[in-house]
Amino acid sequence: MRSDLANLEGVSNVQTDLKKRTCQFHLANKDLDLKAKLSELAQSNEHLKEFEIITQ
């Protein structure tokens, strides 16, 4: 999951917490449709299936 996210343009500082099953990252590309991109990545990465976006 971390490598898939790190490969997205504008995504940096990817941090995962396996115990909590969470991932935090910085998104510099505000024009990126993050939900659509994560849905696309979930087709080939089971760790991204059933993701939920929580913003801070």
Side-chain angles (χ1 to χ4, degrees):
M1 178 172 81
R2 175 182 253 166
S3 60
D4 279 345
L5 290 172
N7 287 332
L8 292 177
E9 183 179 338
V11 173
S12 63
N13 197 26
V14 179
Q15 299 174 11
T16 56
D17 184 331
L18 298 178
K19 288 184 181 182
K20 293 181 181 179
R21 296 181 59 163
T22 62
C23 179
Q24 295 182 3
F25 53 89
H26 293 214
L27 180 61
N29 183 355
K30 301 298 182 191
D31 294 328
L32 178 67
D33 184 348
L34 184 59
K35 187 170 184 173
K37 193 60 177 177
L38 290 175
S39 293
E40 178 186 323
L41 291 172
Q43 300 301 314
S44 61
N45 186 327
E46 68 182 44
H47 296 109
L48 289 171
K49 290 185 179 177
E50 301 179 26
F51 69 88
E52 180 181 350
I53 297 175
I54 301 170
T55 59
Q56 292 185 354

Short mmCIF file of all heavy atoms in Angstrom, two decimals:
data_model
loop_
_atom_site.label_atom_id
_atom_site.label_comp_id
_atom_site.label_asym_id
_atom_site.label_seq_id
_atom_site.Cartn_x
_atom_site.Cartn_y
_atom_site.Cartn_z
N MET A 1 0.82 -1.18 0.00
CA MET A 1 0.00 0.00 0.00
C MET A 1 0.87 1.25 0.00
O MET A 1 0.62 2.17 -0.75
CB MET A 1 -0.92 0.00 1.22
CG MET A 1 -1.76 1.22 1.32
SD MET A 1 -3.00 1.15 2.61
CE MET A 1 -2.04 1.55 4.03
N ARG A 2 1.87 1.26 0.84
CA ARG A 2 2.74 2.43 0.94
C ARG A 2 3.38 2.77 -0.39
O ARG A 2 3.40 3.94 -0.79
CB ARG A 2 3.81 2.19 2.00
CG ARG A 2 4.83 3.31 2.07
CD ARG A 2 5.89 2.99 3.08
NE ARG A 2 5.62 3.87 4.20
CZ ARG A 2 6.14 3.74 5.39
NH1 ARG A 2 6.91 2.73 5.66
NH2 ARG A 2 5.88 4.60 6.33
N SER A 3 3.86 1.78 -1.11
CA SER A 3 4.53 2.06 -2.38
C SER A 3 3.54 2.56 -3.43
O SER A 3 3.88 3.44 -4.23
CB SER A 3 5.29 0.83 -2.89
OG SER A 3 4.39 -0.24 -3.10
N ASP A 4 2.32 2.02 -3.46
CA ASP A 4 1.31 2.50 -4.39
C ASP A 4 1.00 3.97 -4.14
O ASP A 4 0.89 4.77 -5.07
CB ASP A 4 0.02 1.69 -4.30
CG ASP A 4 0.09 0.39 -5.07
OD1 ASP A 4 1.01 0.23 -5.90
OD2 ASP A 4 -0.77 -0.47 -4.84
N LEU A 5 0.86 4.34 -2.89
CA LEU A 5 0.56 5.73 -2.56
C LEU A 5 1.75 6.64 -2.86
O LEU A 5 1.58 7.74 -3.39
CB LEU A 5 0.17 5.86 -1.09
CG LEU A 5 -1.18 5.26 -0.71
CD1 LEU A 5 -1.35 5.28 0.80
CD2 LEU A 5 -2.30 6.02 -1.38
N ALA A 6 2.94 6.20 -2.54
CA ALA A 6 4.14 7.00 -2.77
C ALA A 6 4.36 7.26 -4.26
O ALA A 6 4.97 8.27 -4.62
CB ALA A 6 5.36 6.32 -2.16
N ASN A 7 3.85 6.38 -5.11
CA ASN A 7 4.01 6.56 -6.55
C ASN A 7 3.03 7.57 -7.15
O ASN A 7 3.18 7.94 -8.31
CB ASN A 7 3.87 5.22 -7.27
CG ASN A 7 5.07 4.32 -7.06
OD1 ASN A 7 6.17 4.80 -6.84
ND2 ASN A 7 4.86 3.03 -7.11
N LEU A 8 2.05 8.01 -6.37
CA LEU A 8 1.10 8.99 -6.87
C LEU A 8 1.74 10.38 -6.88
O LEU A 8 2.38 10.78 -5.90
CB LEU A 8 -0.15 9.04 -6.00
CG LEU A 8 -1.06 7.83 -6.03
CD1 LEU A 8 -2.22 8.02 -5.05
CD2 LEU A 8 -1.60 7.61 -7.42
N GLU A 9 1.55 11.10 -7.95
CA GLU A 9 2.09 12.45 -8.05
C GLU A 9 1.45 13.35 -6.99
O GLU A 9 0.23 13.39 -6.84
CB GLU A 9 1.81 13.02 -9.43
CG GLU A 9 2.40 14.39 -9.65
CD GLU A 9 2.13 14.93 -11.03
OE1 GLU A 9 1.86 14.12 -11.94
OE2 GLU A 9 2.17 16.15 -11.19
N GLY A 10 2.28 14.03 -6.22
CA GLY A 10 1.79 14.94 -5.20
C GLY A 10 1.59 14.32 -3.83
O GLY A 10 1.22 15.00 -2.89
N VAL A 11 1.83 13.02 -3.71
CA VAL A 11 1.70 12.34 -2.42
C VAL A 11 3.10 12.14 -1.83
O VAL A 11 4.00 11.68 -2.51
CB VAL A 11 0.99 10.97 -2.56
CG1 VAL A 11 1.02 10.20 -1.25
CG2 VAL A 11 -0.44 11.17 -3.03
N SER A 12 3.25 12.53 -0.57
CA SER A 12 4.55 12.37 0.09
C SER A 12 4.34 12.05 1.57
O SER A 12 3.22 12.09 2.07
CB SER A 12 5.38 13.65 -0.05
OG SER A 12 4.74 14.71 0.61
N ASN A 13 5.44 11.73 2.23
CA ASN A 13 5.45 11.48 3.67
C ASN A 13 4.39 10.43 4.06
O ASN A 13 3.59 10.64 4.97
CB ASN A 13 5.25 12.78 4.45
CG ASN A 13 5.64 12.64 5.90
OD1 ASN A 13 6.47 11.81 6.25
ND2 ASN A 13 5.05 13.44 6.76
N VAL A 14 4.41 9.30 3.40
CA VAL A 14 3.45 8.22 3.65
C VAL A 14 3.85 7.49 4.93
O VAL A 14 4.97 7.01 5.05
CB VAL A 14 3.39 7.23 2.46
CG1 VAL A 14 2.41 6.11 2.75
CG2 VAL A 14 3.03 7.96 1.18
N GLN A 15 2.93 7.43 5.89
CA GLN A 15 3.17 6.74 7.15
C GLN A 15 2.03 5.78 7.40
O GLN A 15 0.86 6.15 7.34
CB GLN A 15 3.25 7.75 8.29
CG GLN A 15 4.36 8.75 8.13
CD GLN A 15 4.32 9.81 9.22
OE1 GLN A 15 3.58 9.68 10.19
NE2 GLN A 15 5.09 10.85 9.05
N THR A 16 2.37 4.53 7.68
CA THR A 16 1.35 3.52 7.93
C THR A 16 1.42 3.05 9.38
O THR A 16 2.48 3.04 9.99
CB THR A 16 1.50 2.31 6.99
OG1 THR A 16 2.82 1.77 7.13
CG2 THR A 16 1.28 2.71 5.54
N ASP A 17 0.27 2.67 9.91
CA ASP A 17 0.17 2.09 11.25
C ASP A 17 -0.57 0.77 11.08
O ASP A 17 -1.80 0.75 10.93
CB ASP A 17 -0.57 3.04 12.18
CG ASP A 17 -0.62 2.53 13.62
OD1 ASP A 17 -0.60 1.28 13.83
OD2 ASP A 17 -0.69 3.36 14.53
N LEU A 18 0.17 -0.32 11.09
CA LEU A 18 -0.43 -1.63 10.83
C LEU A 18 -1.39 -2.06 11.93
O LEU A 18 -2.39 -2.72 11.65
CB LEU A 18 0.67 -2.67 10.65
CG LEU A 18 1.61 -2.42 9.45
CD1 LEU A 18 2.69 -3.49 9.41
CD2 LEU A 18 0.84 -2.37 8.17
N LYS A 19 -1.12 -1.70 13.17
CA LYS A 19 -2.02 -2.09 14.26
C LYS A 19 -3.38 -1.41 14.14
O LYS A 19 -4.41 -2.03 14.35
CB LYS A 19 -1.39 -1.76 15.61
CG LYS A 19 -0.24 -2.67 15.97
CD LYS A 19 0.28 -2.36 17.35
CE LYS A 19 1.44 -3.29 17.67
NZ LYS A 19 1.97 -3.06 19.01
N LYS A 20 -3.37 -0.12 13.81
CA LYS A 20 -4.63 0.62 13.67
C LYS A 20 -5.22 0.50 12.26
O LYS A 20 -6.33 0.93 12.04
CB LYS A 20 -4.39 2.10 13.97
CG LYS A 20 -4.04 2.37 15.40
CD LYS A 20 -3.85 3.85 15.61
CE LYS A 20 -3.46 4.16 17.04
NZ LYS A 20 -3.26 5.60 17.25
N ARG A 21 -4.43 -0.06 11.35
CA ARG A 21 -4.83 -0.19 9.94
C ARG A 21 -5.15 1.17 9.34
O ARG A 21 -6.18 1.37 8.71
CB ARG A 21 -6.00 -1.16 9.81
CG ARG A 21 -5.62 -2.56 10.25
CD ARG A 21 -6.74 -3.50 10.11
NE ARG A 21 -7.17 -3.52 8.71
CZ ARG A 21 -7.91 -4.44 8.16
NH1 ARG A 21 -8.32 -5.44 8.90
NH2 ARG A 21 -8.26 -4.38 6.91
N THR A 22 -4.22 2.12 9.58
CA THR A 22 -4.38 3.47 9.05
C THR A 22 -3.15 3.88 8.26
O THR A 22 -2.08 3.28 8.39
CB THR A 22 -4.58 4.50 10.18
OG1 THR A 22 -3.43 4.51 11.02
CG2 THR A 22 -5.83 4.20 11.00
N CYS A 23 -3.34 4.89 7.46
CA CYS A 23 -2.26 5.44 6.66
C CYS A 23 -2.44 6.95 6.60
O CYS A 23 -3.55 7.43 6.35
CB CYS A 23 -2.29 4.83 5.27
SG CYS A 23 -1.01 5.48 4.19
N GLN A 24 -1.38 7.68 6.83
CA GLN A 24 -1.40 9.14 6.73
C GLN A 24 -0.39 9.56 5.69
O GLN A 24 0.67 8.93 5.55
CB GLN A 24 -1.04 9.79 8.06
CG GLN A 24 -2.01 9.52 9.16
CD GLN A 24 -1.60 10.24 10.44
OE1 GLN A 24 -0.63 10.98 10.49
NE2 GLN A 24 -2.37 10.02 11.49
N PHE A 25 -0.69 10.63 4.97
CA PHE A 25 0.23 11.14 3.98
C PHE A 25 -0.10 12.59 3.67
O PHE A 25 -1.18 13.07 3.98
CB PHE A 25 0.21 10.29 2.69
CG PHE A 25 -1.17 10.10 2.11
CD1 PHE A 25 -1.69 10.99 1.20
CD2 PHE A 25 -1.94 9.00 2.48
CE1 PHE A 25 -2.95 10.81 0.67
CE2 PHE A 25 -3.19 8.80 1.96
CZ PHE A 25 -3.71 9.71 1.05
N HIS A 26 0.85 13.26 3.06
CA HIS A 26 0.65 14.64 2.63
C HIS A 26 0.22 14.61 1.17
O HIS A 26 0.77 13.85 0.38
CB HIS A 26 1.94 15.43 2.76
CG HIS A 26 2.37 15.61 4.18
ND1 HIS A 26 3.00 16.73 4.61
CD2 HIS A 26 2.25 14.83 5.26
CE1 HIS A 26 3.26 16.64 5.90
NE2 HIS A 26 2.81 15.47 6.32
N LEU A 27 -0.74 15.44 0.83
CA LEU A 27 -1.24 15.52 -0.54
C LEU A 27 -1.03 16.94 -1.05
O LEU A 27 -1.73 17.87 -0.64
CB LEU A 27 -2.72 15.15 -0.60
CG LEU A 27 -3.37 15.18 -1.97
CD1 LEU A 27 -2.70 14.19 -2.91
CD2 LEU A 27 -4.85 14.87 -1.84
N ALA A 28 -0.03 17.13 -1.91
CA ALA A 28 0.28 18.45 -2.46
C ALA A 28 -0.57 18.76 -3.68
O ALA A 28 -0.84 19.91 -3.97
CB ALA A 28 1.76 18.53 -2.82
N ASN A 29 -1.01 17.72 -4.38
CA ASN A 29 -1.80 17.90 -5.60
C ASN A 29 -3.28 17.98 -5.23
O ASN A 29 -3.98 16.98 -5.19
CB ASN A 29 -1.54 16.74 -6.57
CG ASN A 29 -2.25 16.90 -7.88
OD1 ASN A 29 -3.04 17.82 -8.06
ND2 ASN A 29 -2.01 15.98 -8.80
N LYS A 30 -3.77 19.17 -4.96
CA LYS A 30 -5.15 19.36 -4.52
C LYS A 30 -6.15 19.06 -5.63
O LYS A 30 -7.33 18.89 -5.37
CB LYS A 30 -5.36 20.79 -4.02
CG LYS A 30 -4.46 21.17 -2.86
CD LYS A 30 -4.71 20.32 -1.64
CE LYS A 30 -3.80 20.77 -0.50
NZ LYS A 30 -3.77 19.90 0.61
N ASP A 31 -5.69 18.98 -6.88
CA ASP A 31 -6.58 18.67 -8.00
C ASP A 31 -6.79 17.17 -8.20
O ASP A 31 -7.64 16.76 -8.97
CB ASP A 31 -6.03 19.27 -9.30
CG ASP A 31 -6.03 20.80 -9.26
OD1 ASP A 31 -6.93 21.37 -8.61
OD2 ASP A 31 -5.13 21.40 -9.88
N LEU A 32 -6.02 16.35 -7.51
CA LEU A 32 -6.13 14.91 -7.63
C LEU A 32 -7.46 14.43 -7.04
O LEU A 32 -7.80 14.78 -5.91
CB LEU A 32 -4.97 14.22 -6.91
CG LEU A 32 -4.97 12.69 -6.91
CD1 LEU A 32 -4.74 12.15 -8.32
CD2 LEU A 32 -3.90 12.16 -5.98
N ASP A 33 -8.21 13.64 -7.80
CA ASP A 33 -9.42 13.02 -7.29
C ASP A 33 -8.98 11.80 -6.49
O ASP A 33 -8.89 10.69 -7.01
CB ASP A 33 -10.35 12.65 -8.43
CG ASP A 33 -11.68 12.09 -7.96
OD1 ASP A 33 -11.82 11.77 -6.74
OD2 ASP A 33 -12.59 11.96 -8.79
N LEU A 34 -8.70 12.03 -5.23
CA LEU A 34 -8.10 11.00 -4.38
C LEU A 34 -8.98 9.77 -4.25
O LEU A 34 -8.50 8.64 -4.35
CB LEU A 34 -7.78 11.58 -3.00
CG LEU A 34 -7.05 10.65 -2.04
CD1 LEU A 34 -5.72 10.19 -2.62
CD2 LEU A 34 -6.85 11.33 -0.70
N LYS A 35 -10.26 9.97 -4.05
CA LYS A 35 -11.16 8.83 -3.89
C LYS A 35 -11.18 7.96 -5.14
O LYS A 35 -11.10 6.74 -5.05
CB LYS A 35 -12.56 9.31 -3.55
CG LYS A 35 -13.50 8.19 -3.20
CD LYS A 35 -14.81 8.71 -2.65
CE LYS A 35 -15.66 7.54 -2.21
NZ LYS A 35 -16.88 7.97 -1.53
N ALA A 36 -11.22 8.58 -6.30
CA ALA A 36 -11.22 7.83 -7.56
C ALA A 36 -9.90 7.09 -7.75
O ALA A 36 -9.89 5.93 -8.17
CB ALA A 36 -11.48 8.76 -8.74
N LYS A 37 -8.79 7.74 -7.42
CA LYS A 37 -7.48 7.12 -7.60
C LYS A 37 -7.31 5.94 -6.64
O LYS A 37 -6.80 4.90 -7.01
CB LYS A 37 -6.37 8.15 -7.39
CG LYS A 37 -5.03 7.68 -7.84
CD LYS A 37 -5.05 7.34 -9.31
CE LYS A 37 -3.71 6.94 -9.82
NZ LYS A 37 -3.72 6.54 -11.22
N LEU A 38 -7.76 6.10 -5.38
CA LEU A 38 -7.66 5.00 -4.43
C LEU A 38 -8.56 3.83 -4.84
O LEU A 38 -8.18 2.67 -4.68
CB LEU A 38 -8.00 5.47 -3.03
CG LEU A 38 -6.99 6.41 -2.38
CD1 LEU A 38 -7.50 6.89 -1.04
CD2 LEU A 38 -5.63 5.75 -2.24
N SER A 39 -9.72 4.13 -5.39
CA SER A 39 -10.60 3.06 -5.89
C SER A 39 -9.93 2.31 -7.02
O SER A 39 -10.02 1.08 -7.10
CB SER A 39 -11.93 3.66 -6.37
OG SER A 39 -12.65 4.17 -5.30
N GLU A 40 -9.25 3.02 -7.89
CA GLU A 40 -8.52 2.39 -9.00
C GLU A 40 -7.40 1.51 -8.46
O GLU A 40 -7.24 0.37 -8.89
CB GLU A 40 -7.94 3.48 -9.90
CG GLU A 40 -7.12 2.97 -11.05
CD GLU A 40 -6.47 4.10 -11.83
OE1 GLU A 40 -7.10 5.17 -11.98
OE2 GLU A 40 -5.32 3.91 -12.27
N LEU A 41 -6.63 2.02 -7.51
CA LEU A 41 -5.53 1.25 -6.94
C LEU A 41 -6.03 0.03 -6.16
O LEU A 41 -5.35 -1.00 -6.11
CB LEU A 41 -4.68 2.13 -6.01
CG LEU A 41 -3.86 3.22 -6.69
CD1 LEU A 41 -3.23 4.12 -5.64
CD2 LEU A 41 -2.79 2.61 -7.58
N ALA A 42 -7.20 0.12 -5.58
CA ALA A 42 -7.76 -0.99 -4.80
C ALA A 42 -8.06 -2.21 -5.67
O ALA A 42 -8.13 -3.33 -5.16
CB ALA A 42 -9.03 -0.54 -4.08
N GLN A 43 -8.20 -2.01 -6.97
CA GLN A 43 -8.44 -3.13 -7.87
C GLN A 43 -7.27 -4.10 -7.92
O GLN A 43 -7.45 -5.29 -8.15
CB GLN A 43 -8.75 -2.62 -9.29
CG GLN A 43 -9.95 -1.72 -9.38
CD GLN A 43 -11.22 -2.40 -8.89
OE1 GLN A 43 -11.50 -3.53 -9.25
NE2 GLN A 43 -11.97 -1.71 -8.07
N SER A 44 -6.06 -3.58 -7.67
CA SER A 44 -4.87 -4.43 -7.73
C SER A 44 -4.13 -4.52 -6.39
O SER A 44 -3.09 -5.16 -6.31
CB SER A 44 -3.91 -3.91 -8.81
OG SER A 44 -3.50 -2.60 -8.50
N ASN A 45 -4.65 -3.88 -5.34
CA ASN A 45 -3.99 -3.92 -4.05
C ASN A 45 -5.03 -4.17 -2.96
O ASN A 45 -5.78 -3.27 -2.60
CB ASN A 45 -3.26 -2.59 -3.80
CG ASN A 45 -2.42 -2.62 -2.54
OD1 ASN A 45 -2.77 -3.27 -1.57
ND2 ASN A 45 -1.32 -1.89 -2.55
N GLU A 46 -5.05 -5.37 -2.43
CA GLU A 46 -6.08 -5.74 -1.46
C GLU A 46 -6.00 -4.92 -0.17
O GLU A 46 -6.99 -4.81 0.55
CB GLU A 46 -6.01 -7.22 -1.14
CG GLU A 46 -4.77 -7.64 -0.38
CD GLU A 46 -4.71 -9.13 -0.13
OE1 GLU A 46 -5.00 -9.90 -1.06
OE2 GLU A 46 -4.39 -9.50 1.00
N HIS A 47 -4.85 -4.34 0.12
CA HIS A 47 -4.73 -3.52 1.32
C HIS A 47 -5.51 -2.21 1.21
O HIS A 47 -5.78 -1.57 2.22
CB HIS A 47 -3.26 -3.22 1.62
CG HIS A 47 -2.49 -4.44 1.93
ND1 HIS A 47 -1.55 -4.96 1.06
CD2 HIS A 47 -2.51 -5.28 2.98
CE1 HIS A 47 -1.03 -6.04 1.58
NE2 HIS A 47 -1.60 -6.27 2.75
N LEU A 48 -5.84 -1.82 0.01
CA LEU A 48 -6.59 -0.58 -0.20
C LEU A 48 -8.09 -0.81 -0.33
O LEU A 48 -8.86 0.14 -0.38
CB LEU A 48 -6.09 0.13 -1.46
CG LEU A 48 -4.70 0.75 -1.34
CD1 LEU A 48 -4.21 1.23 -2.70
CD2 LEU A 48 -4.71 1.89 -0.34
N LYS A 49 -8.50 -2.06 -0.35
CA LYS A 49 -9.93 -2.35 -0.47
C LYS A 49 -10.66 -1.87 0.78
O LYS A 49 -10.14 -1.91 1.88
CB LYS A 49 -10.17 -3.84 -0.68
CG LYS A 49 -9.71 -4.27 -2.05
CD LYS A 49 -10.04 -5.70 -2.34
CE LYS A 49 -9.53 -6.01 -3.74
NZ LYS A 49 -9.72 -7.36 -4.11
N GLU A 50 -11.88 -1.38 0.57
CA GLU A 50 -12.71 -0.88 1.66
C GLU A 50 -12.06 0.25 2.43
O GLU A 50 -12.22 0.39 3.63
CB GLU A 50 -13.12 -2.02 2.59
CG GLU A 50 -13.89 -3.12 1.88
CD GLU A 50 -14.29 -4.26 2.78
OE1 GLU A 50 -14.43 -4.03 4.00
OE2 GLU A 50 -14.46 -5.37 2.28
N PHE A 51 -11.32 1.13 1.72
CA PHE A 51 -10.69 2.26 2.35
C PHE A 51 -11.71 3.29 2.77
O PHE A 51 -12.84 3.31 2.28
CB PHE A 51 -9.65 2.90 1.43
CG PHE A 51 -10.27 3.61 0.24
CD1 PHE A 51 -10.66 4.93 0.32
CD2 PHE A 51 -10.45 2.92 -0.95
CE1 PHE A 51 -11.23 5.57 -0.76
CE2 PHE A 51 -11.04 3.55 -2.04
CZ PHE A 51 -11.42 4.88 -1.95
N GLU A 52 -11.33 4.14 3.69
CA GLU A 52 -12.16 5.26 4.12
C GLU A 52 -11.25 6.47 4.21
O GLU A 52 -10.16 6.39 4.77
CB GLU A 52 -12.78 4.97 5.48
CG GLU A 52 -13.65 6.07 6.00
CD GLU A 52 -14.24 5.74 7.36
OE1 GLU A 52 -14.12 4.57 7.82
OE2 GLU A 52 -14.80 6.64 7.97
N ILE A 53 -11.68 7.59 3.67
CA ILE A 53 -10.87 8.80 3.72
C ILE A 53 -11.32 9.64 4.92
O ILE A 53 -12.49 9.97 5.07
CB ILE A 53 -11.03 9.63 2.43
CG1 ILE A 53 -10.50 8.82 1.24
CG2 ILE A 53 -10.29 10.96 2.55
CD1 ILE A 53 -10.72 9.48 -0.09
N ILE A 54 -10.34 9.96 5.77
CA ILE A 54 -10.58 10.81 6.93
C ILE A 54 -9.61 11.97 6.81
O ILE A 54 -8.40 11.77 6.71
CB ILE A 54 -10.34 10.05 8.24
CG1 ILE A 54 -11.25 8.84 8.32
CG2 ILE A 54 -10.53 10.96 9.44
CD1 ILE A 54 -10.94 7.89 9.46
N THR A 55 -10.11 13.18 6.79
CA THR A 55 -9.22 14.34 6.66
C THR A 55 -9.01 15.00 8.01
O THR A 55 -9.85 14.92 8.90
CB THR A 55 -9.79 15.38 5.68
OG1 THR A 55 -11.07 15.80 6.17
CG2 THR A 55 -9.95 14.79 4.30
N GLN A 56 -7.88 15.66 8.12
CA GLN A 56 -7.56 16.37 9.37
C GLN A 56 -7.31 17.82 9.05
O GLN A 56 -6.85 18.18 8.06
CB GLN A 56 -6.33 15.79 10.03
CG GLN A 56 -6.56 14.41 10.54
CD GLN A 56 -5.37 13.88 11.32
OE1 GLN A 56 -4.31 14.51 11.39
NE2 GLN A 56 -5.53 12.73 11.91
#
